[in-house]
Amino acid sequence: MKILVASLALYILYITTSSLFSFEGKRKAVKGLVDDEPEGHVLSNLSNDKLYQDSVILFGPCQSGKSVLFNTLVHGEKVETVTSLKANVEVMDGVRIVDYPGHITLSAKLPSLMIPDANGKKSSGAIRALLVIDSTKPLSEAGGILYNSILTNSLFANEWKNAKDGSFVHIMVVCNKSDATGSKNWRRVKIQLRSELEKLKKISCDSKDKKNDLEGDEGIEDNRIDLSGKIDFDDLSKNGIQNVKLSFMSLSCLNEKGMDEIRAFVKNGEVITDNSSILKSRK
């Protein structure tokens, strides 16, 4: 019961914050964070004159190790960072790498980075993503981001449904800190993450019964789609999600375990299937 209540609270918070921060001109800042600025500035660092072909988006909960992974990939340094409201961006070997902040109030702008033609005139290449999670922690927040900001987001789902030329977005779920005590391997994460999404799906269905009451609340708008059937990470088309693939892998960024696989995925989308730490989704 406590888990269900917690999931419900997180679900409601995602709906509310995503709606509030979607209005033009909203300038309310989040206190207590470094570079405390309006949420509209989260993508201000993306104005980059460098040309690039592909984009790789790092996203996930705060303190999951996204920025350490970003700095390891781009600068070769494992630098501990603090939470920021701005996305970090670098172009490396023709690939634009974006480290998207994990704060819950910034999730509304994440889908815009992960749709076809999101890269604008400077790129016509592929889009890949790394969902970085802390494998020592519960998965409710990671599940909420994946479910509410990506898989059921109408912009994301509809754009990829209509994608042409066989293009697709590949999301690698990176189970970070795999060497830490109490960590979960990617197999356990896959099972638990699916359970989290099933709970959110049930909550979403139940909330439809109260839709008429919610419609009277100013500023709250549900711009998500419904997923059909049981969540199938190996074939999301069964859930009505087209041209989206998921893979899972374990990683210890600090000890370099799994970094070769990460670099291959970032560089060209390659999933090294002869490594036991990686599960490749079926086509």
Side-chain angles (χ1 to χ4, degrees):
M1 178 62 70
K2 291 182 179 179
I3 296 177
L4 183 61
V5 171
S7 297
L8 176 60
L10 184 62
Y11 173 80
I12 293 173
L13 182 58
Y14 264 99
I15 296 175
T16 304
T17 53
S18 295
S19 300
L20 288 175
F21 295 111
S22 64
F23 290 110
E24 292 291 338
K26 204 69 176 177
R27 308 291 287 181
K28 183 179 178 182
V30 179
K31 296 181 179 180
L33 298 178
V34 174
D35 296 333
D36 189 20
E37 295 186 6
E39 280 73 6
H41 291 181
V42 63
L43 301 181
S44 60
N45 286 339
L46 266 66
S47 56
N48 196 312
D49 293 332
K50 295 182 180 179
L51 297 177
Y52 53 88
Q53 181 68 19
D54 297 352
S55 279
V56 176
I57 315 301
L58 279 65
F59 71 105
C62 293
Q63 305 301 319
S64 60
K66 296 185 303 298
S67 295
V68 174
L69 178 56
F70 174 84
N71 285 314
T72 301
L73 287 169
V74 174
H75 305 296
E77 300 177 352
K78 297 174 178 62
V79 180
E80 294 291 340
T81 61
V82 293
T83 303
S84 174
L85 292 183
K86 285 187 177 182
N88 297 314
V89 58
E90 292 287 348
V91 176
M92 182 178 67
D93 298 328
V95 178
R96 184 183 69 165
I97 305 175
V98 180
D99 172 22
Y100 193 89
H103 200 278
I104 191 172
T105 60
L106 305 177
S107 59
K109 294 186 179 296
L110 177 60
S112 66
L113 291 176
M114 297 177 59
I115 59 175
D117 301 324
N119 297 325
K121 297 180 179 179
K122 295 180 181 178
S123 171
S124 58
I127 299 176
R128 299 183 287 279
L130 300 172
L131 169 52
V132 184
I133 66 173
D134 183 339
S135 62
T136 68
K137 295 181 179 180
L139 300 175
S140 56
E141 188 173 354
I145 294 173
L146 181 61
Y147 185 86
N148 291 304
S149 296
I150 304 299
L151 298 184
T152 64
N153 180 273
S154 59
L155 172 65
F156 177 88
N158 291 330
E159 289 289 338
W160 281 111
K161 180 179 179 180
N162 299 320
K164 300 178 180 179
D165 302 324
S167 61
F168 63 92
V169 59
H170 195 160
I171 301 174
M172 177 73 77
V173 181
V174 180
C175 309
N176 197 19
K177 307 181 184 180
S178 62
D179 59 332
T181 302
S183 63
K184 298 177 283 289
N185 62 36
W186 63 261
R187 296 175 179 86
R188 178 58 56 185
V189 167
K190 182 182 180 183
I191 293 171
Q192 293 186 6
L193 191 60
R194 183 193 293 116
S195 297
E196 290 294 337
L197 265 61
E198 288 289 355
K199 286 188 291 187
L200 290 170
K201 183 171 176 284
K202 183 180 185 304
I203 293 170
S204 177
C205 291
D206 292 343
S207 70
K208 297 297 182 180
D209 297 334
K210 301 179 181 180
K211 183 177 180 181
N212 291 335
D213 295 334
L214 290 174
E215 286 178 343
D217 294 338
E218 183 179 357
I220 297 180
E221 180 182 357
D222 189 352
N223 63 341
R224 291 164 297 109
I225 65 168
D226 294 324
L227 301 185
S228 58
K230 295 188 65 174
I231 302 296
D232 189 342
F233 286 150
D234 294 322
D235 186 1
L236 288 169
S237 65
K238 294 179 180 178
N239 306 120
I241 304 172
Q242 305 297 324
N243 301 315
V244 179
K245 295 184 179 181
L246 279 179
S247 297
F248 290 77
M249 67 167 290
S250 295
L251 172 72
S252 174
C253 184
L254 293 180
N255 292 331
E256 286 285 323
K257 183 179 179 180
M259 282 303 302
D260 287 342
E261 290 86 347
I262 289 287
R263 292 186 179 100
F265 181 79
V266 168
K267 182 177 181 180
N268 54 29
E270 180 183 4
V271 176
I272 302 177
T273 57
D274 60 353
N275 186 301
S276 61
S277 69
I278 296 181
L279 168 68
K280 184 176 181 180
S281 298
R282 294 192 299 270
K283 295 183 179 180

